[in-house]
Amino acid sequence: MTDARSDAVAGARLERLWARGCAFLGTRTAIMGGAMSWVSERRLVSAISNAGGFGVLACGSMPPDLLAAEIAATRALTSQPFGVNLINMHPDLDRLIDVCRELAVSHVVIAGGFPGGATIKRIKDGGARAMAFAPTLVSGKRLVKQGIDALVIEGTEAGGHIGPVSTTVLAQEILPELREVPVFVAGGIGRGEAILSYLEQGAAGVQIGTRFVCATESIAHQRFKQVFIKASARDAQASVQIDPRFPVIPVRALANAGSKRFMELQREVIARVDRGETTRDAGILEIEHFWAGALRRAVIDGDVESGSLMAGQSVGLVTREQPVAEIIGDLIAQAEAALAARCPQADAGDLPAAGQAAIDPSAIDPSTILGAA
């Protein structure tokens, strides 16, 4: 088989592997951008969508009027589909969903807890597809019963707030058992070979965050980007809870002076509570407030010493600043190269017939994809 034919077969195979995800998202590739606060704003999101991926705006703590402005600004930069990530515990969640409805957002991703049936219905009644995160098979099946349209399973290798189970284990637990809706895999993904492996296990696509932080289009401060470029996988560490009386939601970030100070603060607070100098509730609040504003200080202001450097373990694969289109192109090339190595065993059915176009996700009826087995 010639190299050209091998490459064509590999491309056709990759298109088939992520056709379900592409049809669901309405994109050329089933690569979602992870919603990263202060990073996933209009410029990065539109760049991902323009490059054939699926950008996702991070609403975070935005009020409804600010979210509306950000959606409109993103739409001015791209005509391609993109989604909005909303935090389940946001006090104005219903109004934020209404904003997405009023501005005809196609996909709403709920993070920060499990959305209730009423929330899922509100999203879908507004015409959007509802997505949520499932840390276990049981929770995934429950969300499907409540009407969720697609799921994201994210392993502990991811940056930011994390769960305790690795991406590879979650994939083995969930992908073979949950076929009713598309499932996207996230956490620790930085190369095309990894994307391919999850697609072959049954994933509809992937979600990638850390890999896009150092994109040319990312507004992250240059000092923030340089720390990412120099970091290794082991530098992205999960925060540690010293005492179960003082719960700490695990966050994966690059170790710096701020993370060291956080450990010291926990010890100081615990000691004051044990001496009766303050209450446990006051101590918990003090610990929770330590990181307030720290992510913005790092991303926007470039305070890489005391700010929060949220990063996944795939940060070790970030070696330079690149345009988004180049990053996505590299990921596709790596996946296709891995497939091409197997192509001598391929048959003619792997290629479109002469004159036949490659798979066009926009031509696939999503209603036949959502319930596909």
Side-chain angles (χ1 to χ4, degrees), residues 220-242:
H221 198 283
Q222 280 301 314
R223 284 197 291 270
F224 190 84
K225 290 183 179 181
Q226 285 303 310
V227 170
F228 266 57
I229 291 168
K230 295 175 182 177
S232 68
R234 67 186 61 195
D235 294 326
Q237 301 174 7
S239 56
V240 177
Q241 174 180 286
I242 292 177

Side-chain angles (χ1 to χ4, degrees), residues 113-161:
F114 300 118
T119 295
I120 294 172
K121 185 176 186 301
R122 192 180 189 94
I123 292 169
K124 297 178 69 167
D125 286 351
R129 292 175 185 166
M131 302 180 68
F133 288 80
T136 65
L137 178 59
V138 170
S139 61
K141 287 187 174 294
R142 183 169 69 246
L143 285 164
V144 169
K145 286 182 180 179
Q146 291 178 311
I148 207 72
D149 293 314
L151 294 167
V152 179
I153 59 174
E154 184 176 68
T156 193
E157 300 94 324
H161 294 93

Side-chain angles (χ1 to χ4, degrees), residues 17-345:
L17 282 168
W18 63 19
R20 189 184 190 190
C22 291
F24 178 79
L25 299 173
T27 51
R28 289 189 288 109
T29 76
I31 299 174
M32 295 176 60
M36 301 171 285
S37 293
W38 301 108
V39 178
S40 298
E41 49 75 70
R42 66 189 75 172
R43 280 153 286 230
L44 181 59
V45 169
S46 61
I48 292 172
S49 292
N50 285 336
F54 186 79
V56 182
L57 278 174
C59 175
S61 59
M62 287 184 191
D65 58 341
L66 186 55
L67 175 62
E70 195 63 25
I71 292 171
T74 305
R75 191 158 284 151
L77 297 174
T78 183
S79 60
Q80 301 304 309
F82 65 89
V84 173
N85 179 290
L86 302 179
I87 304 302
N88 191 55
M89 63 186 72
H90 196 296
D92 258 342
L93 179 60
D94 285 348
R95 178 63 189 127
L96 293 171
I97 294 172
D98 291 343
V99 166
C100 292
R101 175 177 186 165
E102 292 158 9
L103 294 178
V105 170
S106 61
H107 299 68
V108 174
V109 185
I110 298 292
F114 300 118
T119 295
I120 294 172
K121 185 176 186 301
R122 192 180 189 94
I123 292 169
K124 297 178 69 167
D125 286 351
R129 292 175 185 166
M131 302 180 68
F133 288 80
T136 65
L137 178 59
V138 170
S139 61
K141 287 187 174 294
R142 183 169 69 246
L143 285 164
V144 169
K145 286 182 180 179
Q146 291 178 311
I148 207 72
D149 293 314
L151 294 167
V152 179
I153 59 174
E154 184 176 68
T156 193
E157 300 94 324
H161 294 93
I162 55 173
V165 182
S166 74
T167 304
T168 53
V169 172
L170 281 180
Q172 293 174 78
E173 175 191 4
I174 295 173
L175 292 178
E177 303 293 334
L178 205 161
R179 303 282 189 172
E180 298 93 331
V181 301
V183 178
F184 295 80
V185 176
I189 300 173
R191 285 187 60 90
E193 296 92 343
I195 295 174
L196 175 61
S197 71
Y198 291 121
L199 292 175
E200 291 183 324
Q201 291 179 61
V206 298
Q207 176 183 282
I208 294 175
T210 298
R211 190 71 178 78
F212 289 122
V213 169
C214 291
T216 306
E217 297 88 345
S218 166
I219 65 166
H221 198 283
Q222 280 301 314
R223 284 197 291 270
F224 190 84
K225 290 183 179 181
Q226 285 303 310
V227 170
F228 266 57
I229 291 168
K230 295 175 182 177
S232 68
R234 67 186 61 195
D235 294 326
Q237 301 174 7
S239 56
V240 177
Q241 174 180 286
I242 292 177
D243 188 323
R245 294 177 299 164
F246 301 84
V248 171
I249 299 173
V251 172
R252 187 173 299 284
L254 299 178
N256 64 357
S259 55
K260 293 176 183 176
R261 174 59 191 146
F262 181 60
M263 297 294 289
E264 294 170 358
L265 174 71
Q266 288 187 72
R267 294 188 184 95
E268 292 169 4
V269 168
I270 292 167
R272 292 204 306 271
V273 171
D274 288 344
R275 292 195 299 266
E277 296 172 5
T278 187
T279 66
R280 174 178 171 274
D281 287 346
I284 290 174
L285 195 60
E286 185 175 351
I287 291 171
E288 286 180 349
H289 282 178
F290 177 84
W291 290 115
L295 182 59
R296 186 189 189 285
R297 291 201 308 272
V299 174
I300 304 301
D301 301 333
D303 179 2
V304 296
E305 293 299 324
S306 64
S308 176
L309 305 174
M310 291 187 185
Q313 290 182 318
S314 60
V315 70
L317 301 173
V318 179
T319 59
R320 65 190 186 280
E321 191 170 358
Q322 295 175 270
V324 164
E326 187 176 301
I327 294 171
I328 291 179
D330 285 350
L331 295 170
I332 293 172
Q334 290 158 1
E336 290 182 345
L339 281 167
R342 311 172 193 169
C343 284
Q345 287 75 43

